[in-house]
Amino acid sequence: MFRRSFRRFCAGEEKRVGTRTVFLGNHQDSTTTTETYIAPRFCDNRIVSSKYTLWNFLPKNLFEQFRRIANFYFLIIFLVQVTVDTPTSPVTSGLPLFFVITVTAIKQGYEDWLRHRADNEVNKSTVYIIENAKRVKKESEKIKVGDIVEVQADETFPCDLILLSSCTSDGICYVTSASLDGESNCKTHYAVRDTIAVCSEECVDTLRAIIECEQPQPDLYKFVGRINIYNNSTEAVASCVHFLFRSLGPENLLLKGATLKNTKKIYGVAVYTGMETKMALNYQGKSQKRSAVEKSINAFLIVYLLILLTKATICTALKYLWQSTPHNDEPWYNQKTQKERDTWKVLKIFTDFLSFMVLFNFIIPVSMYVTVEMQKFLGSFFISWDKDFFDEEINEGALVNTSDLNEELGQVDYVFTDKTGTLTENCMEFIECCIDGHKYKGIIQETDGLSQTDGPLTYFDKADKNREELFLRALCLCHTVEIKTNDAVDGATESADLTYVCSSPDEIALVKGAQKYGFTFLGIQNGHMRLENQRKEIEEYELLHTLNFDSVRRRMSVIVKTPTGDILLFCKGADSAVFPRVQKDEIASTKIHVDQNAMDGYRTLCIAFKEIAPDEYERIDKQLIEAKMALQDREEKMDKVFDDIETNMNLIGATAVEDRLQDQAAETIEALHAAGLKVWVLTGDKMETAKSTCYACRLFQTSTELLELTTRTIEESASKEGRLCELLNEYQKKLNEYPKSSRSLKKTWTEHQEFGLIIDGSTLSLILNSAQDTVSNNYKSIFLQICMKCTAVLCCRMAPLQKAQIVKMVKNLKGSPITLSIGDGANDVSMILESHVGIGVKGKEGRQAARNSDYSVPKFKHLKKLLLAHGHLYYMRIAHLVQYFFYKNLCFILPQFLYQFFCGFSQQPLYDAAYLTMYNICFTSLPILAYSLLEQHINIDTLTSDPRLYMKISGNAMLQLGPFIYWTFLAAFEGTVFFFGTYFLFQTSSLEENAKVFGNWTFGTIVFTVLVFTVTLKLALDTRYWTWINHFVIWGSLAFYVFFSFFWGGIIWPFLKQQRMYFVFAHMLTSVSTWLAIVLLIFISLFPEILLIVLRNVNHGSARSPNIELPTLLSYKYIDSGHS
């Protein structure tokens, strides 16, 4: 009966897609058995953040790792070695691959084990469920949708709950959601008024209701639902069943992960559980961002793969050319078997090609990926540990959410920043107001006349007394501010001790501004807003409806009933949102003050009101309730109703609030400009306010000529598009008049700060969304050309989506510039996600931006060190790491290639299998890892004090073709020296005193010894910042190689008697010629580097240039890209 009645009241709703029906306490109608009812299936309350299980870890992890090209390549090489008769053992490629796969698997397995442990702690935690009017203890994972859960003070909500009641008489509870969005301030949540009295186990169990709500979605700040409460006051007859319908919104939803504060106990019904909670849905990661270094690595891999294929092809061709002579093909000491003679020649050629591929495969550095991952992961801790990023006010430092982009911080070309809360403090102070065009500033001393101020008396023309009080009442009533007190407010005597709490600092500033003038907001009790007027009298206004603020409407309103029964609407919002909705003749006098305040850099809001007749209110109330009850398109329907209500208002006045510039914001922007970065400010504020802030933070200089593309400049003409076209062409012509510099455009920015561009949201829409696509593309092209030639760009009146459009447009420019976005609010999330690097500021508008960013910092000023010091060093380190890996592997494999010319292309290995295996894993891995973590080729203080150094590495300078070719030729030179130096040494008939001749493995060991010492000492020459760790790993690696060679040769471990390497290393070192040869070959190999060091020091010593030059690593030739 209960369910049939509900279906009759909500006909056609039960089959609607996108909603779910929840029975409170899982009490369903049991009086009717004639109809079949299939209960909906919801997921349980288990949280699963882990990626693997015990059963799927191995196959799933291996599949993911072999999706990486280098790992898959080495797997193929290993399989070839196993199946084909190749010159080297499968161990030589199998063991390094196994090492890489194992290390990665252990790292990922450990991380997943930590996630499993954290999940179990949550899933096995104790909760209390109300069942059969009793309090039942259960594990959290046993909660089902519809269960009524009891939560006590300081406990975390185990799932997403609809608040039914609390221990307070008004059904209010206080919640902190720091674990969700980082906001530490208490938020207020409300129970619907019909369930407030349900505050015991017995009452809760007897409550019968049905909740309809949207299906789970990840937005933490949106929720649409309604509760249908069964009224059992009449006889249980089908025709007499009554429902009370109430709307549910985000203010009624308690999110899993949030904590109950300052409230002893609440009851709530579970609507989303487990992986359907909003917290779990937010686990889903952001789209993967790839750095420019990763793209360079892939390009280098392709080049080295081509080198590998070329080597294998040359050796295969020359082998068969050499074997074309009969005595070379089948010498008397190595006769072919009949099977070898009968083998198909094409198959033999292919097999030989694969064998050469296996022989030379170590040119591809498989261990580089592991080293790069470890460098990024470990290197990210330096940002978190940096004490300069610690902010005492919030007691937090910087946070790294994505370590994959560390080096991208050193490659930024464009910085997009929000204004409020990012460049400014977002700490509002009420400055002044105007009422009916009359200016009021200061604090009143007497109730008679607001214009009298403290200090030197300043008198202005006064508005009517009733209008003054109406304006101040509007400030006290039109807001969402709440009172945070331990005791209930009772009387005016406690007004001085009130603490105001709100998510918007603007609203607190306005309420405090009204308090300065004698009107004090005392809070809300039983749905009535209480305030104290100038005569110390308490006034109560019934709060009928709140029309909440949103970034599209840019205004908010309240509808209240006065003590005399009149119904008033108070509205506050941006001038662009309020002026079109008030009487035209009221605008002029207020607009003068609004414009002046904006030019002074203040944030302005306009205040309006209107009286609502009782019959009109009945219609409005019905429309609002209907819109709030909608489960589909609720926001659109409510916006339409709001739009209809907020019309034909009367303008009362405007307020001016100051948002102070953040400490060192101007110095930071100056440094970014000096570093060659373009800074764009994207804000929703009005143009005058934003422009004033831009001058204050030195984005615009006094010499900067501003080009405007705003509604004001375009609406001067009848045809907007025609005027826009004229302005675009005019600005383009003006910018083209300046002679082009042959040097880099980036350098020109720092020398000529000539032009700045200002554009607003409506003009941007006109550019991007013209009627004709061809016209739009033309506008867009000219607009981008103008932007690229301007030093700074200010985009005002921007919607969040438009911010992302701007970033995307710049990202797609020719040359693919690297973009960085920084902001502090939810409206900045879209541009943070769109840019290559997203920085969140831990501001006062919540932590949505910080949660969605790649890095988060407490203040805008920290961006300077993050980019100029950390970014510079991260890029330099990883670029050197990548180049060094390819260099040392080419040094390693080139002698093997040259050796084939002297062994008849027989695929004879030059090095022992142990050396092949250990070269990248043990002998040369730790020094470059330590270098890539600790190197500071320039002091951090120097990097931050001279931003011009940032330009030296911009444009991926250290991974361009020039440095890559230099490294490649250096490796080719050294590899040739290794081989032919040893070869000429072996021209002597005997190298031992007893006239014995060294053999093949001694030859290879000498080459390998010179190789290991040379590539390690090369890194020592490149190291500018020595620590004990560098000393330990560099000299320790060399010592370990010597130790291992003695061990492998059976000296230290006699039981290990390798047939071909037994005593080889020890016998080799008994020859004085060998010692001399090794030392001489190392010196010859490193001589070009040593010579460059000497010449550079001589030049620096004689020049004594006042300009700070980047002490470029010797491995990188200077590229004249205009950055000199």
Side-chain angles (χ1 to χ4, degrees), residues 361-375:
N361 79 85
F362 290 94
I363 198 172
I364 306 295
V366 65
S367 59
M368 180 179 65
Y369 281 104
V370 173
T371 309
V372 167
E373 279 190 13
M374 291 177 67
Q375 191 270 349

Side-chain angles (χ1 to χ4, degrees), residues 92-342:
T92 57
S93 58
L95 190 60
L97 178 64
F98 176 77
F99 172 77
V100 169
I101 296 296
T102 303
V103 169
T104 307
I106 290 173
K107 172 179 171 288
Q108 294 177 351
Y110 174 71
E111 291 173 348
D112 205 61
W113 176 78
L114 292 178
R115 288 191 285 266
H116 271 285
R117 189 173 68 174
D119 290 346
N120 282 332
E121 288 179 4
V122 174
N123 294 333
K124 300 298 181 182
S125 61
T126 302
V127 296
Y128 290 95
I129 311 295
I130 305 303
E131 289 182 356
N132 300 320
K134 293 181 180 178
R135 192 166 172 260
V136 180
K137 183 178 179 180
K138 285 188 176 183
E139 292 179 343
S140 175
E141 63 184 3
K142 301 291 179 62
I143 296 176
K144 302 188 297 293
V145 171
D147 283 349
I148 298 174
V149 183
E150 177 186 298
V151 181
Q152 297 189 358
D154 298 320
E155 290 183 352
T156 300
F157 300 118
C159 57
D160 290 351
L161 304 169
I162 293 295
L163 178 60
L164 295 176
S165 63
S166 73
C167 60
T168 61
S169 59
D170 50 5
I172 288 177
C173 74
Y174 298 96
V175 169
T176 59
S177 57
S179 61
L180 292 171
D181 56 14
E183 295 185 45
S184 56
N185 59 307
C186 284
K187 300 182 179 69
T188 308
H189 288 259
Y190 306 89
V192 292
R193 62 176 180 267
D194 303 285
T195 63
I196 288 175
V198 182
C199 52
S200 67
E201 288 90 341
E202 294 76 12
C203 294
V204 168
D205 194 60
T206 57
L207 181 64
R208 296 293 181 269
I210 297 174
I211 293 174
E212 276 196 308
C213 60
E214 62 186 355
Q215 292 292 359
Q217 53 99 355
D219 194 324
L220 296 176
Y221 310 97
K222 290 183 181 178
F223 175 73
V224 175
R226 68 184 175 204
I227 183 170
N228 311 289
I229 303 168
Y230 176 52
N231 187 350
N232 200 24
S233 61
T234 59
E235 293 296 328
V237 182
S239 59
C240 299
V241 173
H242 294 280
F243 283 97
L244 298 174
F245 296 94
R246 297 288 181 260
S247 66
L248 299 172
E251 69 278 4
N252 309 115
L253 184 67
L254 306 173
L255 299 178
K256 177 182 177 66
T259 305
L260 185 66
K261 292 288 185 183
N262 302 329
T263 310
K264 292 181 180 178
K265 182 176 66 175
I266 65 100
Y267 292 106
V269 57
V271 287
Y272 304 130
T273 53
M275 298 308 293
E276 291 182 341
T277 59
K278 289 182 180 288
M279 184 179 77
L281 293 175
N282 276 276
Y283 284 151
Q284 298 169 1
K286 307 180 287 290
S287 59
Q288 188 67 29
K289 296 180 179 181
R290 294 177 60 212
S291 69
V293 170
E294 285 188 56
K295 297 171 186 175
S296 297
I297 290 175
N298 293 336
F300 294 167
L301 276 175
I302 292 172
V303 172
Y304 270 69
L305 188 60
L306 292 175
I307 293 175
L308 172 62
L309 293 171
T310 303
K311 283 184 175 181
T313 304
I314 290 173
C315 286
T316 304
L318 291 178
K319 175 178 181 177
Y320 283 91
L321 179 63
W322 189 76
Q323 289 181 351
S324 60
T325 306
H327 68 270
N328 288 337
D329 184 28
E330 194 173 354
W332 61 268
Y333 56 83
N334 191 17
Q335 296 290 319
K336 292 182 179 179
T337 63
Q338 188 60 40
K339 183 180 179 181
E340 288 176 331
R341 293 192 183 98
D342 296 340

Side-chain angles (χ1 to χ4, degrees), residues 232-484:
N232 200 24
S233 61
T234 59
E235 293 296 328
V237 182
S239 59
C240 299
V241 173
H242 294 280
F243 283 97
L244 298 174
F245 296 94
R246 297 288 181 260
S247 66
L248 299 172
E251 69 278 4
N252 309 115
L253 184 67
L254 306 173
L255 299 178
K256 177 182 177 66
T259 305
L260 185 66
K261 292 288 185 183
N262 302 329
T263 310
K264 292 181 180 178
K265 182 176 66 175
I266 65 100
Y267 292 106
V269 57
V271 287
Y272 304 130
T273 53
M275 298 308 293
E276 291 182 341
T277 59
K278 289 182 180 288
M279 184 179 77
L281 293 175
N282 276 276
Y283 284 151
Q284 298 169 1
K286 307 180 287 290
S287 59
Q288 188 67 29
K289 296 180 179 181
R290 294 177 60 212
S291 69
V293 170
E294 285 188 56
K295 297 171 186 175
S296 297
I297 290 175
N298 293 336
F300 294 167
L301 276 175
I302 292 172
V303 172
Y304 270 69
L305 188 60
L306 292 175
I307 293 175
L308 172 62
L309 293 171
T310 303
K311 283 184 175 181
T313 304
I314 290 173
C315 286
T316 304
L318 291 178
K319 175 178 181 177
Y320 283 91
L321 179 63
W322 189 76
Q323 289 181 351
S324 60
T325 306
H327 68 270
N328 288 337
D329 184 28
E330 194 173 354
W332 61 268
Y333 56 83
N334 191 17
Q335 296 290 319
K336 292 182 179 179
T337 63
Q338 188 60 40
K339 183 180 179 181
E340 288 176 331
R341 293 192 183 98
D342 296 340
T343 304
W344 189 28
K345 192 168 185 179
V346 174
L347 181 60
K348 285 181 63 179
I349 293 173
F350 180 69
T351 304
D352 284 329
F353 176 77
L354 290 179
S355 297
F356 281 118
M357 287 281 290
V358 168
L359 191 64
F360 303 141
N361 79 85
F362 290 94
I363 198 172
I364 306 295
V366 65
S367 59
M368 180 179 65
Y369 281 104
V370 173
T371 309
V372 167
E373 279 190 13
M374 291 177 67
Q375 191 270 349
K376 289 184 175 183
F377 173 71
L378 297 174
S380 63
F381 287 104
F382 291 117
I383 293 178
S384 304
W385 292 338
D386 195 325
K387 293 180 180 179
D388 290 341
F389 291 154
F390 186 80
D391 185 74
E392 294 182 356
E393 184 181 345
I394 62 173
N395 201 32
E396 291 184 44
L399 182 66
V400 178
N401 297 324
T402 307
S403 61
D404 292 339
L405 301 172
N406 293 342
E407 64 276 10
E408 208 79 333
L409 294 170
Q411 294 298 297
V412 175
D413 297 306
Y414 286 82
V415 174
F416 300 94
T417 175
D418 178 42
K419 184 184 78 70
T420 306
T422 305
L423 293 177
T424 60
E425 290 281 2
N426 201 15
C427 182
M428 309 300 176
E429 181 183 354
F430 186 89
I431 300 298
E432 63 181 55
C433 62
C434 75
I435 304 173
D436 289 342
H438 301 283
K439 182 178 178 182
Y440 293 82
K441 189 171 186 177
I443 304 174
I444 64 163
Q445 292 175 319
E446 303 172 9
T447 58
D448 182 69
L450 301 185
S451 55
Q452 187 174 354
T453 64
D454 281 344
L457 297 182
T458 307
Y459 293 96
F460 305 96
D461 293 334
K462 291 171 56 181
D464 181 74
K465 180 68 175 177
N466 292 331
R467 297 285 285 183
E468 289 177 351
E469 294 187 353
L470 181 66
F471 178 83
L472 295 174
R473 287 190 180 95
L475 294 186
C476 281
L477 297 172
C478 187
H479 56 74
T480 56
V481 175
E482 291 157 8
I483 304 291
K484 184 181 179 182

Side-chain angles (χ1 to χ4, degrees), residues 75-86 88-90 93 347 350-351 354-355 358:
L75 177 64
I76 296 299
I77 292 295
F78 174 72
L79 294 176
V80 168
Q81 286 179 294
V82 170
T83 55
V84 179
D85 184 19
T86 55
T88 57
S89 167
S93 58
L347 181 60
F350 180 69
T351 304
L354 290 179
S355 297
V358 168

Side-chain angles (χ1 to χ4, degrees), residues 673-674 741 743-754 791 1122 1124:
H673 272 303
S741 172
R743 307 171 72 186
S744 163
L745 180 61
K746 178 174 280 193
K747 184 61 181 176
T748 307
W749 301 342
T750 64
E751 293 177 348
H752 306 289
Q753 296 199 4
E754 293 290 342
T791 308
S1124 58

